[in-house]
Amino acid sequence: MDIEVIYDIQCIVHADYPEAREVLLERLELCPAGCLVLERNDVVSGYVLSHPWRRFSPPPIDTKLGAIAAEADVWYLHDLALLPETRGSRAGAKVAKLLAGQALQAGYQTLALVSVNGSQGFWERQGFSVRKNETLAGKLASYGSAAVYMEYDLVGAERR
């Protein structure tokens, strides 16, 4: 995975929430299985960075983790970024399904994420729902005022 390509896509898709190359690279190094690129016509057009983490505790934007939390209890989708020309291709839905499978295989029953850039509706269509917790307000501050913490119960999804 070319971190420069990932960084460039991030600068386009998440211009309001930039993260240093070192932060993106650390996610890749800590959990390579949770990091994927999306290609369209042999050109990288998106990426996803995900890893095990703690429920109701999204890491602040542009902050290194140091290590995967030993007490991780959710699979955390840190970032899904698709270039504008890739949107509408169902790539995001396919990635969400793929990550759900990876999380279950790794022993996690819940996917978690922070919705930004008006993406809440997209994530709700993928099975995620808003979760509220008194500790979240401060933790969501770096994601912007419209950020929403969401989870997807994978075990419940298997029964649907």
Side-chain angles (χ1 to χ4, degrees):
M1 186 178 288
D2 184 346
I3 201 63
E4 291 305 316
V5 172
I6 301 307
Y7 179 79
D8 291 345
I9 292 172
Q10 178 225 213
C11 288
I12 294 167
V13 176
H14 297 305
D16 293 337
Y17 310 98
E19 293 189 289
R21 285 174 183 82
E22 295 77 26
V23 171
L24 302 172
L25 183 59
E26 184 199 43
R27 298 297 195 281
L28 172 62
E29 291 171 343
L30 289 174
C31 188
C35 302
L36 309 164
V37 294
L38 301 148
E39 291 184 350
R40 189 173 188 180
N41 300 324
D42 296 323
V43 176
V44 176
S45 58
Y47 68 88
V48 63
L49 303 175
S50 67
H51 52 82
W53 201 245
R54 294 181 301 268
R55 188 173 192 206
F56 296 119
S57 189
I61 294 275
D62 200 31
T63 302
K64 284 186 167 186
L65 301 176
I68 297 297
E71 65 279 6
D73 55 358
V74 297
W75 192 273
Y76 183 73
L77 198 163
H78 174 75
D79 192 7
L80 170 62
L82 302 174
L83 289 174
E85 60 269 20
T86 304
R87 294 183 192 144
S89 68
R90 305 245 341 116
K94 290 174 186 173
V95 166
K97 186 174 182 177
L98 179 66
L99 288 179
Q102 282 186 313
L104 281 169
Q105 193 169 30
Y108 295 92
Q109 298 181 3
T110 306
L111 280 177
L113 58 83
V114 175
S115 167
V116 297
N117 292 339
S119 63
Q120 181 178 337
F122 167 79
W123 291 116
E124 287 172 341
R125 289 188 298 279
Q126 308 318 309
F128 286 81
S129 57
V130 174
R131 298 290 200 270
K132 298 193 184 230
N133 177 295
E134 62 277 354
T135 65
L136 279 171
K139 294 178 181 181
L140 293 176
S142 69
Y143 292 84
S145 61
V148 180
Y149 178 83
M150 304 181 81
E151 290 185 348
Y152 182 18
D153 175 11
L154 299 171
V155 175
E158 285 184 326
R159 292 188 298 263
R160 288 182 211 138

